[in-house]
Amino acid sequence: MLETKYQTTAVIGSQWGDEGKGKITDYFAQNADVIVRWSGGDNAGHTIVFDNKKFKLSIIPSGIFNQKVTCVIANGCVVNLEKLVSEINYLKENGYSCENLKISDRAHIIFPYHSALDECQELARKEQAIGTTKKGIGPCYADKMNRVGIRIGDLLDKEEFVKKLTFNVEHKNKILKLVYNCQETFDVTKITDRIFNELLPQFQNYITDTRVLLDEKVKANQIVLFEGAQGSLLDLDHGTYPFVTSSHPIASSIATGTGLCLKAVTNIIGITKAYNTRVGEGVFPTEFEDEIARTIREVGNEYGTVSKRPRRIGWFDAVILKYSAEINGFTGLAIMLLDVLSGIKELKICTSYLLNNQEIKYVPSQIKNFAQCQPQFITMPGWTEDITKVTSFDQLPINAQNYLKKISELVGVPITMFSVGPNRTQTILVQ
Ligand code: IMP
């Protein structure tokens, strides 16, 4: 039986993704022994800045920059092999070895037909399009659920792999052609040759049963960090369905996504921006578009890491953060991009919604109801000072302190840290 006092921390996006998880992961990574991605694929985009250099990763855990850390892509992930190898090479070119990378033999593979299907499905949905990243995430997870997915471990038996791929390619080609009238079809030999001749040799040594590895590490009381991808409101069950991703970015899925038991996660840090953003379609109650929103977008560089799409901007929504805290069990909050709000005269915080003339403080399950929610705001005075050089909570202007305190009070979770700029040194711990 596992003891309850593990040194494990999960970094979880509390909104719709892009909260700055990469930065907080990188912060914790400096003391970690193991870093684990357990859900999603290269739809995630993590930006890590240090030593005046900017790195962008989509599938390899952000901890890869610390060479003594074991980085794990666990079974709950879906892996695009082209992207994996291109990131391995990108890291190598920048002087970072991937010898400390471990990839689960149970993780599923994203094939080119998944991306093609993603694209076709989005087109077919017309005005109901989800706004996916078109990386094939949904179709890959659908194959997993449908029990026709192909896993990383299948690469270790070429004959079996080809059998499975042949079934899938024939099936997908039919769907692409007959349902979607798509001209692009796929060829088993071409895919197999590319993988076995060019891609697999570059990561074969990293394939392992990561469940066994993680179980050993946790039991040995090593410091393990679970690096979240996407955000809680994109969770397939608890997010704003159907405008969600096809995996489970919330903390409880760490168990299924790694094979560790539920008790294995002790600290759960909810990452939130000091305001809200969203990419893709879907309801966003506190969204606004005016001069202030445009300023936030430019100052905060609110453009997708992966897709470069401009992000939608909204005022801070405490209802969403509280909901997120409840479904994840946050033990602390990390408030990101606080500096972006400097210079804004008045800051709004949404404290409840009005739905059919009734005040509610939760996210309704039906998207139709969520769309009708009118955010109820309180207004807090802003600050004009440059806060990018503060090194403690006490050094913040009083209005910034009050803004953070109000967020913590509304959500009922202490603030563990906040961030005032992209560099490692600009992440401040709250005592
Ligand atoms: P998919 O994950 O590509 O299927 O996209 C489904 C929805 O999740 C879309 O609205 C995407 O914009 C959103 N999404 C997926 N990954 C991320 C992410 O890492 N950050 C923000 N949004 C994401």
Side-chain angles (χ1 to χ4, degrees), residues 389-421:
K389 293 185 181 63
V390 305
T391 54
S392 72
F393 182 83
D394 296 338
Q395 287 176 13
L396 282 173
I398 196 72
N399 287 351
Q401 290 188 20
N402 288 338
Y403 185 71
L404 293 187
K405 281 183 188 164
K406 181 53 87 181
I407 289 173
S408 174
E409 177 195 312
L410 288 166
V411 179
V413 179
I415 291 174
T416 308
M417 59 220 301
F418 63 92
S419 168
V420 291

Side-chain angles (χ1 to χ4, degrees), residues 16-18 43-45 118 130-135 137-138 230 234 243-246 278-281 309:
W16 282 285
D18 311 316
N43 48 346
D118 200 352
I130 290 164
T132 72
T133 58
K134 302 203 177 112
K135 305 269 173 189
I137 306 296
Q230 288 84 43
L234 290 173
F243 298 98
V244 293
T245 188
S246 297
R278 182 165 192 178
V279 274
E281 305 305 319
R309 290 179 287 181

Side-chain angles (χ1 to χ4, degrees), residues 34-69:
V34 187
I35 303 201
V36 191
R37 275 271 318 258
W38 79 91
S39 86
D42 61 317
N43 48 346
H46 294 162
T47 308
I48 303 115
V49 183
F50 60 90
D51 296 343
N52 291 323
K53 278 190 251 160
K54 198 187 245 186
F55 295 95
K56 291 182 185 218
L57 294 176
S58 300
I59 184 66
I60 295 183
S62 308
I64 202 77
F65 299 103
N66 184 342
Q67 302 281 288
K68 64 177 192 358
V69 171

Side-chain angles (χ1 to χ4, degrees), residues 30-302:
Q30 294 170 68
N31 290 318
D33 300 305
V34 187
I35 303 201
V36 191
R37 275 271 318 258
W38 79 91
S39 86
D42 61 317
N43 48 346
H46 294 162
T47 308
I48 303 115
V49 183
F50 60 90
D51 296 343
N52 291 323
K53 278 190 251 160
K54 198 187 245 186
F55 295 95
K56 291 182 185 218
L57 294 176
S58 300
I59 184 66
I60 295 183
S62 308
I64 202 77
F65 299 103
N66 184 342
Q67 302 281 288
K68 64 177 192 358
V69 171
T70 305
C71 287
V72 176
I73 299 175
N75 59 278
C77 292
V78 286
V79 185
N80 179 323
L81 304 181
E82 295 284 351
K83 188 71 194 166
L84 174 72
V85 169
S86 87
E87 283 191 7
I88 290 172
N89 289 330
Y90 162 71
L91 287 162
K92 274 188 191 157
E93 282 156 22
N94 282 284
Y96 296 95
S97 140
C98 285
E99 288 310 307
N100 49 346
L101 181 64
K102 305 285 171 199
I103 306 167
S104 169
D105 48 7
R106 288 182 172 90
H108 280 248
I109 301 172
I110 303 176
F111 286 94
Y113 50 78
H114 289 130
S115 317
L117 279 168
D118 200 352
E119 191 131 10
C120 287
Q121 285 170 4
E122 278 289 88
L123 272 175
R125 285 187 195 111
K126 296 197 172 114
E127 65 280 359
Q128 279 150 27
I130 290 164
T132 72
T133 58
K134 302 203 177 112
K135 305 269 173 189
I137 306 296
C140 181
Y141 276 114
D143 275 1
K144 171 177 175 174
M145 294 298 169
N146 211 13
R147 292 149 297 174
V148 293
I150 302 177
R151 308 197 293 182
I152 294 280
D154 292 322
L155 295 170
L156 305 177
D157 181 343
K158 190 170 175 184
E159 211 174 301
E160 269 302 301
F161 173 88
V162 172
K163 226 191 262 174
K164 288 180 181 171
L165 186 66
T166 305
F167 173 86
N168 274 299
V169 166
E170 278 174 9
H171 188 69
K172 306 303 182 209
N173 279 347
K174 271 190 209 150
I175 296 176
L176 284 165
K177 218 165 148 189
L178 301 176
V179 177
Y180 296 112
N181 201 18
C182 173
Q183 303 306 316
E184 191 182 15
T185 51
F186 296 90
D187 180 74
V188 176
T189 313
K190 233 171 155 180
I191 297 176
T192 309
D193 286 352
R194 170 83 181 137
I195 291 178
F196 282 84
N197 299 342
E198 293 165 65
L199 302 178
L200 184 60
Q202 303 196 58
F203 66 87
Q204 182 158 4
N205 290 345
Y206 311 149
I207 302 173
T208 188
D209 186 333
T210 55
R211 190 206 67 80
V212 175
L213 174 103
L214 288 172
D215 191 58
E216 283 167 8
K217 299 275 186 195
V218 169
K219 280 178 179 156
N221 260 314
Q222 294 217 344
I223 301 176
V224 181
L225 182 64
F226 299 98
E227 174 179 0
Q230 288 84 43
S232 302
L233 271 286
L234 290 173
D235 184 88
L236 188 55
D237 277 87
H238 299 287
T240 46
Y241 192 89
F243 298 98
V244 293
T245 188
S246 297
S247 63
H248 297 281
I250 62 175
S252 48
S253 78
I254 292 174
T256 43
T258 61
L260 288 168
C261 76
L262 278 176
K263 285 199 302 182
V265 192
T266 43
N267 301 314
I268 306 175
I269 308 292
I271 317 300
T272 173
K273 281 180 182 167
Y275 46 93
N276 273 47
T277 61
R278 182 165 192 178
V279 274
E281 305 305 319
V283 181
F284 185 8
T286 64
E287 181 176 18
F288 68 107
E289 182 63 40
D290 62 9
E291 203 44 50
I292 296 177
R294 283 189 282 279
T295 305
I296 291 177
R297 186 175 296 116
E298 293 316 311
V299 179
N301 190 25
E302 294 296 357

